[in-house]
Structure formats: structure tokens, C-alpha cells
Amino acid sequence: MRVVVLSLFAVGVVTVTLSLQLTGVCADDDSHYYEPNEEVMLWINRIGPYHNPQETYKYFHLPFCKPEGDHHQKHKYAGIGEILQGHELMESGMHMYFAKNQPKTPLCNQVLTQKDAEKFKRAISQHYWYQFFLDDLPIWGMVGEIQATEEEILEMEAHPEREHEVKDSYIYTTKHLSIAYNGDRIIEVNLTSEDPVEAKAGQNIEFSYIVE
């Protein structure tokens, strides 16, 4: 039994090493120590309905626009445990730097088609959340919010079978990250979703992010 455990550990080390070499992940993203103003990588993971955490998809299962460049072709693979759990991290294209505030910065923009709008509305009605990672710290955020009266929300909560009803829905367009530091390390990160815009055909949406 000990031999098997050691073998799995060895495979895990090889997997991580090869992934770091192939994807070009900087050493500090692995060691968790940073120099001032050094770039910190934000990784996209998965997305899915809040009330069914086993149902997950790749982030771009929803028709989010992508920033220019090949960011989303760059992946970071973790150990065997994370791979078995379905983690597949992609570079977000959101540039941020250690211990440095980032003012509101455009990420990408798009005009929603009818199909895009319907996909977003359906996801928001199902309370879709997404997961990011920063320095191996998980971050969760909601895709958007439902425009409904308090009575309608209480009615939906009382009848889970109505969760899939499509309501007037708004997409959060700004990701506001608050990062806490201790010396040359990141110790905490929080995400606030802001600036909701209605999900409807023809809507011009600009996604952006803030780092503090």
C-alpha cells in the first residue's frame, strides 16, 4: 500500500512539473511568494447552477466575450486530486500586480444576440455561479441577478421547481477584487459583483474589473 501511495505522489509531481513547463506559469504562482508589482495570475475554473454543485461546465459555456490575445489557450493543471474533481484552470486575461491597486479596467465588450440573451437569462434564473483561483485561493461570484419583487422571490424560494422560470435578468459586468497581503504573500481575496446590465438582445455590454 505504501508503494502505491508513493507512486501516485510521484505521478502528481511529474504532472505538476510538466504542466508548469508547458503552460509557462511563473515560479511565484507556484511558490506563493511575490516581488512588489509582480504580475499575479487570476485563473478561470468552472461555472454552474448554485443549487446543483455537481452540475458544472467550462466558464465559456455561457457566451461571455473574451479579451484579445491567446489568454484562454493557456492552462494550469493542478495535482491529481484537483484533476479528478474536474478543475481545468484557464488564464483570465485580467492583468493585476502584487500589492498594486488597479482602477476600473475594460476587459472586453459584446453586443448580445437573442440567443446570447436567452442563455444568460436562463443561467441567471438558475442562480449560476462561477469559480476563479488567485494564488490557489478559490473565489466565487454570481453571473447576475433576477429583477423581481420580494413576493416573487419568496414564492420562488418556497417552490424550488420554479427555479428555472426565466425572469427579467441582469448581468454583473464588473468584478471588484479585494486582496489582502502579509509581507510578500497573498492571504485573502474577496470578489464583489457590480454594475448589473439587463440581459436582452441588442444590449451592448462592457465587462471590466477592479483590484484593490
Side-chain angles (χ1 to χ4, degrees), residues 12-165:
V13 171
V14 172
T15 301
V16 173
T17 303
L18 289 175
S19 297
L20 291 174
Q21 291 176 346
L22 291 175
T23 58
V25 177
C26 67
D28 293 319
D29 189 62
D30 185 51
S31 69
H32 311 296
Y33 291 94
Y34 295 89
E35 297 292 333
N37 298 322
E38 184 173 0
E39 186 169 13
V40 179
M41 304 300 295
L42 179 66
W43 300 95
I44 295 171
N45 192 18
R46 53 190 177 180
I47 195 167
Y50 177 78
H51 295 297
N52 186 8
Q54 302 305 315
E55 180 185 350
T56 60
Y57 307 94
K58 292 184 178 181
Y59 182 77
F60 289 106
H61 171 74
L62 290 183
F64 289 106
C65 61
K66 300 177 182 179
E68 294 183 359
D70 61 351
H71 308 288
H72 305 296
Q73 298 177 21
K74 298 177 181 178
H75 293 71
K76 175 186 177 183
Y77 295 94
I80 289 178
E82 288 80 4
I83 292 174
L84 292 176
Q85 292 177 32
H87 294 302
E88 184 179 353
L89 307 184
M90 298 182 294
E91 189 177 330
S92 68
M94 301 182 206
H95 299 290
M96 53 195 70
Y97 304 89
F98 186 80
K100 181 178 180 180
N101 290 343
Q102 181 87 8
K104 189 172 184 178
T105 302
L107 180 65
C108 62
N109 68 282
Q110 67 189 107
V111 177
L112 296 184
T113 64
Q114 184 66 41
K115 184 177 180 180
D116 292 342
E118 291 301 324
K119 289 193 73 171
F120 275 118
K121 289 172 69 175
R122 175 68 63 176
I124 293 168
S125 292
Q126 295 179 44
H127 310 293
Y128 263 50
W129 59 272
Y130 55 82
Q131 185 182 52
F132 288 174
F133 279 90
L134 182 81
D135 196 50
D136 284 347
L137 297 172
I139 310 164
W140 292 272
M142 300 301 291
V143 172
E145 64 183 35
I146 298 171
Q147 185 78 297
T149 65
E150 184 176 353
E151 290 76 14
E152 289 174 325
I153 293 174
L154 290 174
E155 180 70 13
M156 291 178 68
E157 291 177 348
H159 299 279
E161 70 275 6
R162 296 184 57 190
E163 176 186 29
H164 299 279
E165 293 183 2

